[in-house]
Amino acid sequence: MTPGPAPGSSSADAPGSSPADAARPRPADAAGPDELPTVAPQLRELRRRAGLTLEAAAARARLSPAHLSRLETGRRQPSLPLLLGLARTYGTTVSELLGETLAVADPIVRAGAPGAREADGWTYWQAGGSGRGMQALRVHVPYAHGRADLVRVHPGEEWLYVLKGRLRLHLGEAEHLLEPGDSAHFDSLTPHRIAAAGPDGADLLFVHTLLQSSLAGLCLGGASTHDR
């Protein structure tokens, strides 16, 4: 009969372990059994809400799928720089990743509220609450004579309503001319391009289901933005 570990012996003395295992340093981001952070379930939930596979999310965060899986199951503890990168990947904040309760957002967006943003000549204003599955914007599309606007393809749905001016909407191989009062609702996986059809540009309401997307993920011109 093989005797078991002596009373008071450490787990390093248990069968299958060795003094070398006990002496080997743990990775800096490894979590002990009583150190599992709330970030693990938050990471899984945010990825699922964004509609991303483990592989796709890992590629965006510049991680290996195995590393992201370990973070999502609590087998690794993310460092602060990694938390910041993951927050950017999911379009959220480090506070939300850590499971902190956020204040209830004001459901009302007042006319004339500050915070206009601009990208490549396009101007938009938030027309709904942030952090929602459905995002609403008020957009001014500039006239860009002789310049090819970017074609976008991405998961989600989009709806737009022309308030002022005329708008050209390219969906796949089809081109549509929209007048004030016209609207369009389409799958964002259809290659699409939006452009103003007149020199005064066009104003529209724009709703999409890309959760907390950055401007670069939409069909609103280039990726660089600045406040106005």
Side-chain angles (χ1 to χ4, degrees), residues 15 28 35 43 63 71 75-76 95 97 100 105-106 116 138 161 164 170 172 179 182 188 202 221:
E35 299 172 15
L43 284 176
L63 299 172
L71 293 171
R75 288 179 288 162
R76 288 291 184 271
S95 294
L97 281 181
E100 295 179 6
D106 188 344
R138 182 166 55 90
Y161 178 91
K164 181 180 178 182
H170 297 259
E179 305 280 351
D182 291 342
S188 305

Side-chain angles (χ1 to χ4, degrees), residues 114-119 122-126 215 224-228:
R117 305 275 288 177
E118 185 174 303
W122 293 57
T123 307
Y124 74 98
W125 298 260
Q126 197 76 27
L215 186 64
S224 61
T225 65
H226 60 270
D227 292 318
R228 291 184 58 184

Side-chain angles (χ1 to χ4, degrees), residues 49 133-135 155-158 188 207-213:
R49 278 164 50 185
M134 181 176 68
Q135 295 284 285
E157 293 183 24
E158 295 179 29
S188 305
V207 177
H208 69 89
T209 59
L210 302 175
L211 179 65
Q212 298 178 329
S213 294

Side-chain angles (χ1 to χ4, degrees), residues 44-119:
R44 284 194 301 273
E45 178 60 22
L46 286 168
R47 177 171 61 78
R48 289 167 182 165
R49 278 164 50 185
L52 295 172
T53 64
L54 187 71
E55 291 74 14
R60 290 191 181 189
R62 299 183 179 180
L63 299 172
S64 70
H67 193 174
L68 182 56
S69 176
R70 287 191 289 269
L71 293 171
E72 289 191 356
T73 55
R75 288 179 288 162
R76 288 291 184 271
Q77 175 103 318
S79 62
L80 180 57
L82 188 52
L83 279 175
L84 291 170
L86 289 166
R88 285 193 295 268
T89 296
Y90 296 127
T92 186
T93 63
V94 171
S95 294
E96 185 176 3
L97 281 181
L98 294 175
E100 295 179 6
T101 303
L102 303 178
V104 176
D106 188 344
I108 307 303
V109 180
R110 300 293 181 184
R117 305 275 288 177
E118 185 174 303

Side-chain angles (χ1 to χ4, degrees), residues 114-200:
R117 305 275 288 177
E118 185 174 303
D120 200 24
W122 293 57
T123 307
Y124 74 98
W125 298 260
Q126 197 76 27
S130 60
R132 305 285 188 178
M134 181 176 68
Q135 295 284 285
L137 304 170
R138 182 166 55 90
V139 183
H140 175 74
V141 184
Y143 183 60
H145 179 68
R147 189 190 69 187
D149 288 279
L150 295 175
V151 176
R152 297 291 187 183
V153 180
H154 46 75
E157 293 183 24
E158 295 179 29
W159 176 88
L160 58 85
Y161 178 91
V162 181
L163 296 169
K164 181 180 178 182
R166 304 168 78 204
L167 194 75
R168 292 192 189 280
L169 172 64
H170 297 259
L171 290 174
E173 299 297 322
E175 178 181 321
H176 306 273
L177 182 63
L178 279 65
E179 305 280 351
D182 291 342
S183 61
H185 189 174
F186 54 92
D187 190 321
S188 305
L189 287 174
T190 303
H192 52 282
R193 185 170 76 247
I194 297 173
D200 294 329

